[in-house]
Amino acid sequence: ALRNRLGEPQGMVRLTMASAALSLTDAALWRATLWALLVAIALAVGIGLGLSTLVRRPLRRLAEAARAIAAGGRVERLDVRRQDELGELAAAFNTMGEQIARQLRENAEAYARLDEAYLETVTALAAAMEAKDHYTADHAASLAGMALAIGRRLGLGEEELRELNYAAILHDIGKIGVPGRILNKPGPLDTEEFAVMAQHTVIGEQIIENMEHLRPVARIVRSAHERYD
């Protein structure tokens, strides 16, 4: 509608177009829209995969480091280069790893001190046995040397060798409960005396099983005179 300055209608302009031309225009518009949509989807997928890879890689390293700590492996620091939430997570993990490593060192030192204390206890028990039976002390020392040599040849671990050493030193500790007249009798033991002497492995087991740190050794002491062959 054409109007004058006063807003009064002065005439009408009408534009006409063939319907075929309009259909072609609509089809071209739909094709352009579809291609634009496909390109946008492809770009979104590509960007998403790229971002996913950037996120997955540090998360995978974080998971591997956490599994290594859980398995008792060495605590390694993660290389923190990002300034986003993943970077903060890696930095927090490094802090946690340092605390765990420090705790592991402290625990190892405490365990070493505890093991040393128990070794002193074992030595004191062996000394008590030596005061009662001089043969036992020398015998235990030589037996421990032979047992450890065989244990190393068999490929035993450090923990097994430690228990084996304690068991060799303490295998006759139950003789503390055997009367001196039987223990140091110069001649052969009679049946009743032998039965009393045979109880020293059971007595030794009862003494040692009350010590939590040495409890695994008790069953070895109990079986010291068994002949499995």
Side-chain angles (χ1 to χ4, degrees), residues 16-28:
T16 61
M17 180 181 294
S19 60
L22 185 60
S23 298
L24 289 175
T25 302
D26 288 342

Side-chain angles (χ1 to χ4, degrees), residues 29 42 77 135 147 159 211:
L29 180 62
R77 287 183 57 84
Y135 162 78
E159 182 67 17
M211 306 176 187

Side-chain angles (χ1 to χ4, degrees), residues 158-171:
E158 289 300 320
E159 182 67 17
E160 293 173 309
L161 289 173
R162 184 187 66 84
E163 293 179 1
L164 183 61
N165 184 44
Y166 285 167
I169 295 174
L170 294 173
H171 78 282

Side-chain angles (χ1 to χ4, degrees), residues 49-194:
L49 290 176
L51 291 176
S52 176
T53 301
L54 291 176
V55 171
R56 283 202 314 269
R57 186 179 296 115
L59 288 178
R60 188 182 300 115
R61 292 178 54 209
L62 181 63
E64 291 172 353
R67 283 193 293 268
I69 293 177
R74 187 165 63 90
V75 180
E76 296 185 1
R77 287 183 57 84
L78 296 177
D79 186 14
V80 181
R81 297 181 181 179
R82 305 170 65 106
Q83 301 297 324
D84 55 8
E85 289 82 357
L86 286 176
E88 294 179 3
L89 181 61
F93 180 86
N94 286 336
T95 301
M96 180 190 70
E98 292 171 358
Q99 293 175 350
I100 291 175
R102 183 168 57 253
Q103 189 66 42
L104 288 175
R105 288 193 300 269
E106 293 174 354
N107 289 344
E109 294 172 357
Y111 183 84
R113 289 193 297 270
L114 179 63
D115 195 53
E116 184 178 352
Y118 274 104
L119 182 58
E120 292 174 355
T121 302
V122 170
T123 303
L125 288 172
M129 191 62 249
E130 180 182 3
K132 190 171 185 179
D133 183 4
H134 294 285
Y135 162 78
T136 297
D138 296 336
H139 168 64
S142 61
L143 179 64
M146 290 187 289
L148 289 176
I150 294 173
R152 293 189 185 97
R153 185 67 178 268
L154 291 174
L156 299 184
E158 289 300 320
E159 182 67 17
E160 293 173 309
L161 289 173
R162 184 187 66 84
E163 293 179 1
L164 183 61
N165 184 44
Y166 285 167
I169 295 174
L170 294 173
H171 78 282
D172 275 338
I173 195 65
K175 287 183 178 180
I176 291 177
V178 177
R181 61 179 179 80
I182 297 177
L183 188 63
N184 296 310
K185 184 178 179 179
L189 301 178
D190 59 29
T191 303
E192 183 179 348
E193 292 170 338
F194 185 84

